[in-house]
Amino acid sequence: MNITPFPTFTWSHARQQLLTECPRKYAYHYYLSHNGWLSDSNSFQKQCYRLKKLVDLPAFFGQVIHEVVHDAIKEMVQYNTVPDVEMLSRRARLKLRQAFLDSTTHAESWFHQPNRYTMFWEIYHDGYLREQASKRITERLILCFRHLRSSSSWSDVISPHVKNIGYDNPFRSIYAFKTKIYAMVDHIYKKDYNYIVVDWTTAHDQSDDVRQLSLLAYHVMKSYHVPIDQVVVRREYLLKGSAHTYHFTAADIRSVEQYIDESINTMRNYQKCPEKNEPVGIEKFPRNATSLCARCHYKELCEAST
């Protein structure tokens, strides 16, 4: 692995969302935490990196659901076995239990190697997980997997009449605007002439980020060199047991490309040296003081600098 003084510049919708939320948080996350995993990095880099690796319980719950579903699909494709709800729930509970042990019993190990252990934001700041929150997560596990198994996407995925093509690597990149563009694509399968993009979500509300979903369509269109009218995006709400399906147009894709181009140009304004992706000084990344600050991973850094 090459050790560079600055990270490689890439683009993603999540990165733009973070910049919109707070440029100072963007700086901590993408620049000041760089190389913080190295033993000879300075204490500030290490602190930024540790804070970057914190996970809050709802987000980790969603991550676990995605991992278990991804593994189940891979297992089904390779070995033709389909785990039931109890098996899926058991696998998820094991991951959650290990994360809890990491955050408590192995807290000292996490401090020194935050990339190898999990630390819950709630335990880091409060010292404990609320019993009610833990119970609610456990109840939602079974609900999510029941809805997964009864969803139309899952019925397609396990059908011998479709071709599963997106189970190997959910992290996908394309090259556009002289930049590597990343997207997290949960699953893709081909049904007849259509490429179906499935986006599993554990979110409560059903207010879709249509731009994010159109970006998934854009990635699949570019990756498989197919026209946009052959790409279908379906968001599966695992907590609700419902789904929204989207068909995007050439005009939507032009809008996506404009959004990416404008976003990249905005991010370039925070580069002192674009060739190296060297950032401007931290003082050039303004803070956005909002209600989100209370749950920000980097709030201790902001509080220390005021």
Side-chain angles (χ1 to χ4, degrees):
M1 179 180 179
N2 290 332
I3 299 173
T4 58
F6 308 107
T8 302
F9 180 75
T10 61
W11 186 91
S12 69
H13 182 53
R15 182 172 182 142
Q16 175 56 41
Q17 285 182 310
L18 191 57
L19 179 58
T20 302
E21 179 186 331
C22 179
R24 182 63 60 89
K25 184 177 181 179
Y26 173 85
Y28 288 138
H29 193 89
Y30 286 106
Y31 287 109
L32 301 176
S33 65
H34 183 61
N35 288 337
W37 57 86
L38 300 175
S39 59
D40 58 350
S41 61
N42 63 54
S43 59
F44 184 73
Q45 286 175 303
K46 289 179 179 178
Q47 184 182 14
C48 287
Y49 185 68
R50 277 194 296 270
L51 297 176
K52 178 180 180 177
K53 301 299 286 185
L54 290 174
V55 292
D56 59 67
L57 183 57
F60 189 74
F61 170 74
Q63 177 186 322
V64 166
I65 295 293
H66 279 80
E67 289 175 358
V68 171
V69 173
H70 175 265
D71 291 345
I73 293 174
K74 191 172 183 179
E75 182 180 319
M76 185 274 297
V77 172
Q78 294 180 341
Y79 305 110
N80 199 32
T81 59
V82 182
D84 58 18
V85 171
E86 179 54 39
M87 176 61 75
L88 294 170
S89 299
R90 188 181 305 121
R91 293 174 180 178
R93 284 195 297 268
L94 285 173
K95 288 177 178 288
L96 287 163
R97 188 176 299 120
Q98 184 59 56
F100 178 77
L101 288 174
D102 282 359
S103 299
T104 52
T105 306
H106 303 302
E108 184 67 22
S109 298
W110 170 82
F111 185 87
H112 296 289
Q113 295 180 303
N115 56 335
R116 295 190 180 184
Y117 297 86
T118 300
M119 174 58 71
F120 285 124
W121 184 97
E122 293 85 350
I123 292 179
Y124 180 81
H125 285 284
D126 302 331
Y128 63 95
L129 284 177
R130 297 182 186 278
E131 185 177 348
Q132 185 179 5
S134 301
K135 183 179 179 181
R136 189 164 57 245
I137 288 295
T138 302
E139 293 170 348
R140 289 176 180 173
L141 279 178
I142 296 177
L143 192 61
C144 282
F145 291 129
R146 281 178 179 167
H147 289 154
L148 168 76
R149 297 264 303 186
S150 63
S151 69
S152 57
S153 296
W154 185 257
S155 297
D156 281 345
V157 165
I158 65 175
S159 168
H161 304 297
V162 306
K163 182 179 181 182
N164 290 289
I165 56 178
Y167 64 90
D168 51 348
N169 181 18
F171 296 99
R172 294 180 171 264
S173 67
I174 57 175
Y175 198 76
F177 304 101
K178 300 180 181 180
T179 305
K180 186 170 280 191
I181 311 293
Y182 279 98
M184 179 71 172
V185 183
D186 289 344
H187 189 60
I188 310 167
Y189 62 88
K190 190 175 181 183
K191 186 176 184 180
D192 299 324
Y193 296 102
N194 289 328
Y195 287 76
I196 316 296
V197 187
V198 185
D199 186 66
W200 318 103
T201 180
T202 56
H204 264 303
D205 62 85
Q206 299 188 49
S207 56
D208 285 337
D209 184 345
V210 178
R211 171 150 283 163
Q212 178 200 2
L213 300 178
S214 64
L215 280 162
L216 297 182
Y218 178 69
H219 265 262
V220 172
M221 185 188 80
K222 292 293 187 181
S223 298
Y224 293 97
H225 309 288
V226 294
I228 190 59
D229 58 7
Q230 286 181 223
V231 181
V232 179
V233 180
R234 185 184 298 129
R235 170 160 280 184
E236 292 280 1
Y237 284 88
L238 297 181
L239 275 175
K240 298 285 187 180
S242 60
H244 292 171
T245 300
Y246 293 86
H247 300 264
F248 294 101
T249 66
D252 294 322
I253 296 306
R254 288 194 295 272
S255 177
V256 163
E257 291 181 322
Q258 181 180 0
Y259 166 67
I260 295 172
D261 188 28
E262 291 176 353
S263 174
I264 288 173
N265 288 332
T266 300
M267 291 177 184
R268 293 290 189 193
N269 292 330
Y270 292 96
Q271 293 174 323
K272 180 179 179 180
C273 177
E275 290 75 22
K276 298 178 182 178
N277 192 29
E278 179 182 359
V280 297
I282 184 64
E283 70 282 355
K284 300 290 182 63
F285 291 89
R287 296 191 189 101
N288 278 352
T290 68
S291 59
L292 296 175
C293 292
R295 297 284 299 181
C296 180
H297 288 196
Y298 306 99
K299 68 175 186 175
E300 67 187 52
L301 297 178
C302 282
E303 289 171 353
S305 63
T306 56

